[in-house]
Amino acid sequence: MTRTALLAAPELHVDLDALGANARTFRSRSRGLLAVVKADAFGHGDVAAHLLRHGADWLGTTSLDEAVALRERTGARTLAWLASPAADFDPAVAAGVDVAVPSVDHLRAVVAAARATGTRARVHLHVDLGIARDGAPRAAWRELVTLAGGLAHLGVVEAVGVMGHLSHAAHPDDPHNRTERMLFDNAVRTAMRRGFVPQVRHVAASAAALRGVGTDCELVRVGAGLYGIDPAGGDGLEPVIALTAPAVVVRDVAAGTGVGYDHAWVAERGTRLATLPVGYADGIPRVASGRAEVLVRGRRARVVGAISMDQIVVDVGDAGVEPGEAITLVGTEPGAPTLGEWAGWSGTIAHDVVTHLGARWRRSFTGGSACA
């Protein structure tokens, strides 16, 4: 955008060329790429088909409903890995969605769906390697794989995969990686001895895939990295999104003018203030109040006062900003704030920032088609 560009509404711009480049980067470092498109592709919108065109072999999401929709829309192999054993697995099994199974209760629910739909269920057994989150605890693994192996022999389920998640993959030299990879390999061997012989193994997410931890397996599961976020803070990926918003109100104020609720900021000098129509309802973290910065006509300007639900105020100084002028909150041009900086101002991670960007941002795409 030029200095005089006008913007009608807040805009979330997705650079599909950058997204494709990141997908190709991960595909070149792996034997197979599962592109994670959960949470509306980390807030980026309908980009599944674009990822498939640029190296993704599979798609992945947590929700069964999301997985069914992706499978029906793209025809791609699609994995869903976070469902209650009380969930309705029938539509997913009938659609050929791959499902992660972290317990005997889950396996029984999937088998019931297979029998109800007359479809062999595609199963990935999920083992907990020490993250104590999802996945079967080691003490329960033998029972799970024994039952799954028997069902695979009977043709009720198809033994597609064994999966796990590393707890310290952002730090490749951490001894947890070696221990957890050993546990994973042992879990695979145990499954195979009991008749569950997987076609694919996958243990690496974005950080692991970037650092070569677990990339010898048949798949890597990459989410954040596709969208330009390296969980370990590296800079080898292309930033994918930009956020811009118009100055809807511009005013010149005198020294001593208070801004926002409780006058969290008071002008020390005469200055110009610009109000932008975005706030914490749009994913702008309220805890970044008083620390966040934006890019105004090529230079940084501070967000002042408390971030409100629908608006923020920027001290643009002598920049000469006019109503309607586009201001960059996140961008790729020199000097523009990054998602990582917003995460730092907010005391969180970039994933948290980007996935909270709401529906009120107008999405725009360049570099290709995002239609699946």
Side-chain angles (χ1 to χ4, degrees), residues 185-196:
D185 291 342
N186 287 341
V188 172
R189 283 192 290 268
T190 300
M192 293 175 67
R193 283 196 297 267
R194 282 158 178 78
F196 190 93

Side-chain angles (χ1 to χ4, degrees), residues 256-320:
T257 300
V259 173
Y261 295 119
D262 300 320
H263 288 178
W265 180 86
V266 177
E268 296 180 353
R269 66 191 192 292
T271 190
R272 177 166 288 192
L273 303 176
T275 300
L276 311 186
V278 291
Y280 56 78
D282 306 289
I284 305 301
R286 191 173 188 275
V287 294
S289 298
R291 292 188 291 276
E293 298 176 345
V294 299
L295 189 69
V296 178
R297 296 192 174 191
R299 66 188 188 189
R300 291 290 184 100
R302 180 64 59 87
V303 175
V304 296
I307 292 173
S308 301
M309 179 179 285
D310 308 292
Q311 54 197 293
I312 61 175
V313 178
V314 178
D315 178 8
V316 299
D318 60 0

